């Protein structure tokens, strides 16, 4: 839901008339992060396909040295694959949580199943839940991309996390969005910048 251009369910699942196009854009944003990570010196990369049915990314587009986690169920959900050997986590395409409804497609995990999730009494978006899982393994989150509400939400929790704002929310189904090309360039640049100062981030 945090990919550039996404504003409605028409982009979000196989039944939507724009889903095939937006799989391409989602894949391209993930690839932009990979390119940025490699420019910063990353040599091992795991991608966790975590939207909807968790089978969205066009895996044939990825470099041969990248591993991809797909489908479900998974014990660690969106963070499946992470462990204490990771140097950093990067969140691409995030949305705000149920408690922050001004964001595009704001919800937490499943709007059909959850009214919200709290951690230590605080309303927690998916980004905070996933950052806590990464933190359990001592892995810092260094970057989040998505709309301005989602990125600010995690920044308020983690502090100086790098952000890539690819659209600005107008409402639940509307946004002022960057083009896919502009969003991908921003993600690549911010990923490189985040990893270059990885030592300054705390889990």
């Amino acid at each position: 839901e945090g990919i550039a251009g996404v504003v409605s369910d028409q982009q979000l699942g196989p039944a939507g008339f724009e889903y095939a196009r937006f799989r391409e854009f989602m894949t391209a944003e993930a690839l932009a992060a990979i390119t940025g990570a490699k420019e910063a010196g990353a040599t091992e990369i795991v991608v966790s396909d975590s939207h909807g049915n968790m089978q969205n990314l066009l895996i044939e587009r990825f470099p041969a040295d990248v591993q991809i986690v797909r489908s479900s169920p998974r014990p660690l959900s969106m963070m499946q694959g992470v462990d204490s050997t990771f140097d950093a986590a990067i969140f691409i395409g995030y949305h705000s949580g149920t408690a922050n409804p001004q964001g595009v497609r704001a919800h937490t995990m499943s709007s059909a199943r959850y009214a919200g999730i709290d951690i230590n009494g605080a309303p927690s978006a998916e980004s905070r839940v996933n950052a806590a899982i990464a933190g359990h393994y001592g892995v810092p989150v260094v970057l989040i991309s998505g709309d301005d509400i989602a990125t600010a939400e995690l920044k308020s929790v983690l502090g100086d996390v790098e952000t890539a704002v690819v659209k600005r929310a107008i409402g639940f189904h509307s946004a002022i969005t960057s083009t896919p090309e502009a969003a991908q360039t921003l993600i690549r640049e911010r990923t490189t910048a985040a990893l270059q100062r990885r030592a300054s981030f705390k889990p």
Side-chain angles (χ1 to χ4, degrees):
E1 288 93 348
I3 300 298
V6 171
V7 290
S8 79
D9 57 3
Q10 294 303 317
Q11 294 97 41
L12 295 175
F17 79 94
E18 287 198 300
Y19 175 67
R21 288 178 62 226
F22 277 80
R23 288 182 76 188
E24 301 265 357
F25 300 147
M26 180 181 180
T27 298
E29 288 194 14
L31 287 168
I34 289 169
T35 299
K38 288 187 172 185
E39 287 172 354
T43 57
E44 294 183 46
I45 297 172
V46 176
V47 177
S48 182
D49 188 339
S50 295
H51 167 68
N53 65 12
M54 301 184 172
Q55 300 172 69
N56 308 276
L57 295 169
L58 301 172
I59 62 173
E60 69 274 15
R61 305 277 178 88
F62 286 79
D65 59 349
V66 171
Q67 294 186 308
I68 303 169
V69 180
R70 300 187 80 220
S71 197
S72 61
R74 311 176 187 174
L76 296 181
S77 188
M78 298 179 194
M79 294 303 292
Q80 190 64 44
V82 73
D83 60 32
S84 60
T85 66
F86 281 65
D87 293 309
I90 294 167
F91 293 169
I92 300 298
Y94 271 63
H95 55 81
S96 62
T98 305
N100 220 344
Q102 63 267 46
V104 178
R105 303 292 302 178
H107 65 281
T108 304
M109 301 300 183
S110 168
S111 54
R113 295 183 176 89
Y114 297 99
I117 294 174
D118 287 2
I119 296 178
N120 294 331
S124 299
E126 291 170 27
S127 60
R128 185 172 189 167
V129 173
N130 292 340
I133 294 170
H136 172 77
Y137 292 100
V139 180
V141 177
V142 299
L143 177 136
I144 180 172
S145 77
D147 71 28
D148 56 325
I149 306 300
T151 55
E153 195 169 49
L154 188 61
K155 202 170 181 68
S156 72
V157 175
L158 296 186
D160 193 28
V161 63
E162 194 78 38
T163 62
V165 176
V166 302
K167 59 190 172 190
R168 298 193 179 276
I170 298 171
F172 188 81
H173 284 306
S174 57
I176 300 171
T177 185
S178 300
T179 64
E181 181 181 5
Q184 292 155 30
T185 298
L186 179 65
I187 288 168
R188 186 187 77 243
E189 292 173 349
R190 293 292 171 85
T191 298
T192 299
L195 289 176
Q196 285 175 337
R197 61 184 190 91
R198 179 180 58 82
S200 68
F201 296 101
K202 299 279 191 289

